[in-house]
Amino acid sequence: MMSHISSVRASREGDQFHYLWAARRCLRLLSLTSDLAAVTIEGVSPLENPAGSTIETGEEAIDVGEYYGSQTLEDARLVEYIQLKHSTLRATDHWTLSGLETTLKNFAERYSELRQRFGKDTSQDRFRFRFVSNRPISPALLATVEDARNGTSGKHPKVHERLKQVTGLVAPTFSEFCRVLWLDGNHEGYWDQQNILFQDVSAYLADADVDAPTQLKDLVTRKALPESAPNPSITKVDVLRALKTDEAHLFPAPCRIERVAAPVPREQESTLADSIAQADGVPIVLHADAGVGKSVLSMRVGLHLPKGSVALVYDCFGSGQYRSPTGYRHRHRDALVQIANELASKSLCHLLIPTRNAEPADYLKVFLHRLRQCVTLLRGQRPDALLCIIIDAADNAQMAAKDIGEARSFVRDLLREQIPDGVRIVAFCRTHRQDLLDPPPHALRLQLRPFSRAETFAHLRHTFPEATEQDIDEFHRLSSHNPRVQSIALSRQNSLAETLRRLGPNPTTVQDTIGEILDDAIAKLRDDVGEIERPQIDRICTGLAALRPLVPISVLASMSNVPEAAIKSFAFDLGHPLIVTGETIQFRDEPAETWFRDHYKPNAAELGPFIDNLKPLASGNSYVAAALPQLMLEAGQFEQLVTVALSSEGLPNASPFERRDVELQRLQFALKSSLRARRYVEAAKLALKAGGESAGDERQRMLI
């Protein structure tokens, strides 16, 4: 009886070893640089031969299949067939040829059929057969396989002849088969595999999610069950789902900085880059006034760093989407995940998978660990290499955090961390907003100056090669040496004389230039459409300043009583400051957005009428319904916000997903408002309802 129990236990441990080992191999699907396309459990991929008959020979020996490049045999770069064996009672006994006869026979038969189909050279490059066990492999058998690869019988002729008999192969096919055969012993046993899987999974996560390894192993276990036989394949999407994420969450805030086709090289570039390179162990704040060229410089710093260095730019502005709840860029789980995974895509560190319960401190901890991984690899190749993380529009990240009632953005916290050797953290911001970042006293502060005359010369001559020295002097003075003012002036495609006339007679700032463009657009809008009152125009501008991007043109039209076509014309007339994308409008860059917000964003008292104007649109428009809670919070409408959030009134007539997203956003802002006002009874009610809605949302998404 005891012997039977031990046998059953050993068999179960063997299954668990199989699932744990395979789960660890599935993690390789997460590599952003590997071409591993799928891992199969208990069989081969059903896509191996989509247009023809499948190869069934030897399939019973395949516990795990790994497909690189493609799951189709014709398109795959490499296909590896693996058999796993675990022993509890004989863990130290060597595998001899007699114990592997069935496995090797099945492998050889499958290889023969593949060779017949693809030819000798292709089959050797494309296919591999592997046996994996916690037990060691007989040295004589290992030596025999190695000798056979070289076409000799070696020191063990009897084993060599027996191996040929078992495989049923003759020279030269026998040698070819041995070249694709790998016998791997001494792998960790069942218990160690369990611990290693936990460590392997934890290396990818933002916090110690004890459930994640179990979820991944359960995925493998389900694929091994008979009901999964038609599709035993596990792909990257499956692994991410098991870890409760998807690819969109791995890159939540991609860079949207518009690359300038022919940027003017700045005279300060090399000097600033040298200062950054020498600033070992201290955070760096690089500041400049609006329009001086911070974003353009951010894309060029890496050109001047030591060879082998990597410079990565994180865009906090995101074409104005940084204020949108679906496009936030100031949170740790967005910014640090984006940066880490861009580095992972360069094979410099582990992928970083966001988790539901991770705190900002968790993200900082794992992010700093990845920075150390990166710089270790870089300096292993070149000792003077640097890793430079450039955070463009860092001040906008802190402003976005403040707008929704959060004390600190990721930038503030990152600037206060101990920076690993060889890493440079550079935050770009406007000069008058440096204090928003709260840098430590020892931070290095660098300033980017406006264009020099030589830089203005290069900029103007690129558009007007005939410009005289006097023209250059005048253009330099009237543009206040500001690159953005110059770019906007040149983008109008006027003659040189008209360009100078419109800049004069006094020097022009970015704000003046955008203001002039706005005035011209308003005048043209009135002329094109007819009798449009100034309040209607003001409502368009107020909507652009107060609403989060991307602003639907239909919403601006409804709240201002101006036709949609006229609003599109208004945006096109503005030119550079605004972008029309489909049926939405957004700001192209930060100076334009700042000008609108400074001139048109309503204060707390003025927000009331603005909100009242929007409310009738909420039931028919998900964008408006989602935007109202933040506006109500800014307006101090605490009672109304809590009442609406608790009653579920005014939700859009949209899909259940959109309705729940809007409701969750309302509950979030109402909860923040009640906590800020120390209304703890209302906060408790809101928290209970938010918990229920969040749980329902999670169940719904898991079901789908």
Side-chain angles (χ1 to χ4, degrees), residues 404-692:
I404 62 173
E406 296 178 1
R408 304 180 72 84
S409 66
F410 83 97
V411 185
R412 274 194 164 194
D413 288 339
L414 188 57
L415 292 178
R416 290 276 174 173
E417 288 293 332
Q418 181 64 46
I419 301 171
D421 291 341
V423 177
R424 304 293 183 267
I425 305 295
V426 189
F428 283 45
C429 71
R430 289 199 185 187
T431 298
H432 67 280
R433 294 178 184 163
Q434 293 180 70
D435 290 342
L436 283 177
L437 304 183
D438 188 28
H442 63 277
L444 174 64
R445 303 194 188 215
L446 303 173
Q447 183 174 14
L448 175 63
R449 296 187 296 272
F451 268 177
S452 66
R453 187 189 182 280
E455 291 167 335
T456 296
F457 173 90
H459 200 194
L460 183 60
R461 281 286 182 90
H462 182 75
T463 304
F464 297 107
E466 73 281 6
T468 66
E469 294 294 328
Q470 183 178 355
D471 293 333
I472 294 165
D473 288 336
E474 192 72 357
F475 187 65
H476 188 57
R477 181 182 69 85
L478 293 176
S479 64
S480 300
H481 321 160
N482 190 288
R484 179 62 52 77
V485 172
Q486 294 182 9
S487 294
I488 294 175
L490 295 174
S491 69
R492 294 172 174 173
Q493 299 181 339
N494 295 320
S495 66
L496 177 56
E498 179 65 13
T499 298
L500 294 174
R501 187 191 68 78
R502 297 191 69 170
L503 281 173
N506 298 314
T508 305
T509 65
V510 173
Q511 288 78 9
D512 293 337
T513 303
I514 294 178
E516 179 188 346
I517 293 173
L518 178 61
D519 289 338
D520 289 346
I522 290 173
K524 187 175 186 305
L525 178 63
R526 286 174 173 155
D527 184 62
D528 290 345
V529 179
E531 292 298 323
I532 298 180
E533 300 294 329
R534 177 68 189 228
Q536 292 174 294
I537 303 297
D538 286 345
R539 281 197 290 270
I540 295 175
C541 297
T542 300
L544 288 170
L547 295 172
R548 67 197 191 199
L550 303 162
V551 183
I553 294 173
S554 60
V555 172
L556 290 176
S558 297
M559 62 182 290
S560 62
N561 294 322
V562 174
E564 292 185 26
I567 293 177
K568 283 188 177 181
S569 297
F570 170 69
F572 290 136
D573 289 339
L574 278 175
H576 186 87
L578 290 180
I579 303 175
V580 177
T581 306
E583 298 301 316
T584 62
I585 295 179
Q586 69 186 91
F587 294 106
R588 182 184 298 271
D589 49 35
E590 200 267 352
E593 183 194 47
T594 298
W595 191 92
F596 268 91
R597 288 169 70 84
D598 287 346
H599 286 76
Y600 286 100
K601 184 180 179 183
N603 57 36
E606 296 167 337
L607 269 175
F610 181 80
I611 292 171
D612 292 339
N613 193 26
L614 277 178
K615 280 182 177 178
L617 307 177
S619 61
N621 191 290
S622 298
Y623 171 87
V624 174
L628 280 173
Q630 183 173 348
L631 294 172
M632 295 172 73
L633 180 62
E634 293 177 11
Q637 296 182 358
F638 169 74
E639 298 291 348
Q640 300 94 313
L641 180 56
V642 172
T643 300
V644 168
L646 288 174
S647 64
S648 298
E649 294 177 358
L651 289 173
N653 299 320
S655 70
F657 273 120
E658 289 181 305
R659 287 174 61 87
R660 178 163 277 150
D661 284 341
V662 171
E663 186 153 29
L664 285 171
Q665 288 182 44
R666 293 201 313 194
L667 288 166
Q668 178 186 12
F669 284 109
L671 183 57
K672 287 181 180 178
S673 180
S674 59
L675 291 173
R676 190 180 301 173
R678 298 187 178 183
R679 302 285 290 270
Y680 298 122
V681 174
E682 290 87 348
K685 294 179 181 178
L686 290 164
L688 286 172
K689 184 172 183 181

Side-chain angles (χ1 to χ4, degrees), residues 16 35 44 86 182 234-235 240 244 251 278 290 359 420 444 467 512-513 527 530 534 565 572 618 643 646 679 703:
Q16 296 304 310
D35 62 344
V44 300
H86 179 273
W182 297 91
I234 295 174
T235 64
L240 290 174
K244 302 173 186 176
F251 295 93
Q278 295 167 15
E359 298 290 336
L444 174 64
D512 293 337
T513 303
D527 184 62
R534 177 68 189 228
F572 290 136
T643 300
L646 288 174
R679 302 285 290 270
L703 177 62

Side-chain angles (χ1 to χ4, degrees), residues 379-400:
R379 292 198 156 176
Q381 299 174 0
R382 296 189 68 95
D384 58 342
L386 299 173
L387 173 63
C388 186
I389 306 299
I390 299 169
I391 305 167
D392 189 49
D395 43 343
N396 289 96
Q398 185 57 33
M399 292 165 63

Side-chain angles (χ1 to χ4, degrees), residues 302-365:
L303 301 176
H304 303 276
L305 295 177
K307 286 186 178 180
S309 299
V310 169
L312 191 146
V313 179
Y314 178 73
D315 173 21
C316 291
F317 185 70
S319 296
Q321 295 185 36
Y322 73 103
R323 293 190 295 119
S324 170
T326 58
Y328 282 154
R329 291 166 174 259
H330 66 277
R331 300 176 301 190
H332 299 68
R333 69 173 179 266
D334 299 316
L336 300 183
V337 169
Q338 176 72 33
I339 297 171
N341 289 338
E342 286 192 37
L343 294 172
S345 68
K346 301 177 184 291
S347 298
L348 294 175
C349 66
H350 275 107
L351 197 73
L352 176 53
I353 297 176
T355 54
R356 184 177 297 273
N357 298 319
E359 298 290 336
D362 297 320
Y363 283 105
L364 281 168
K365 182 178 178 181

